[in-house]
Amino acid sequence: MGKPINQTSIKQHMRNSEEEEEEEEIGNPNLYGKEDRQSDRFDTIQLCIVARALVQAYRQALQNASKSGVAQETLQNAVRRSSKVMTEQEARQILNVSETTTWEEVMKRYDTLFENNAKNGTFYLQSKVHRAKECLEAAYQDKGQGTGTPS
């Protein structure tokens, strides 16, 4: 029939098969060409369709938000958060004072909190206390109440 099959002949046959496959790949430019290019084009078209859909959805969401007023409110909140100006309400919360508190009481509260944070607190808290005092100082000056000596 043929040659007897042994391990050496199997290895030789596998090598010959691999060499033939390599020759076919090199010799046949269409082996991985046309179908792959078509598949790549199809993938690109799908990606473009998805991208356009996302852009349209985003535009629609912006239109819906502007109709409901959410966009304007969101923009105002973003501006408020990004600015480093503290509101009077936040300053009063930090110093734990009310609108009826006198400037002298505000300064006592400020001194106490500032010193406590200088000893046992953090620089961040100490700076928040200082910014709160500055904010309230401006508010008291605008209201015509005396602040003593501004710092």
Side-chain angles (χ1 to χ4, degrees), residues 45-124:
I45 290 170
Q46 285 180 326
L47 184 62
C48 289
I49 291 170
V50 170
R52 285 183 187 157
L54 286 173
V55 168
Q56 287 176 349
Y58 181 72
R59 286 182 181 158
Q60 186 63 45
L62 285 177
Q63 286 176 353
N64 293 343
S66 66
K67 288 177 185 175
S68 67
V70 172
Q72 185 65 26
E73 183 180 335
T74 303
L75 181 61
Q76 288 172 350
N77 287 340
V79 168
R80 193 177 305 128
R81 270 187 245 119
S82 67
S83 68
K84 297 186 181 194
V85 177
M86 183 179 293
T87 65
E88 185 178 345
Q89 180 183 2
E90 184 182 3
R92 291 192 185 283
Q93 288 175 343
I94 290 171
L95 294 177
N96 195 22
V97 295
S98 68
E99 291 182 19
T100 59
T101 307
T102 65
W103 179 249
E104 289 75 25
E105 292 171 349
V106 170
M107 284 305 297
K108 286 179 187 176
R109 186 75 182 137
Y110 162 76
D111 289 335
T112 302
L113 289 172
F114 191 83
E115 290 301 320
N116 286 344
N117 282 304
K119 295 176 186 172
N120 304 323
T122 64
F123 179 73
Y124 173 77

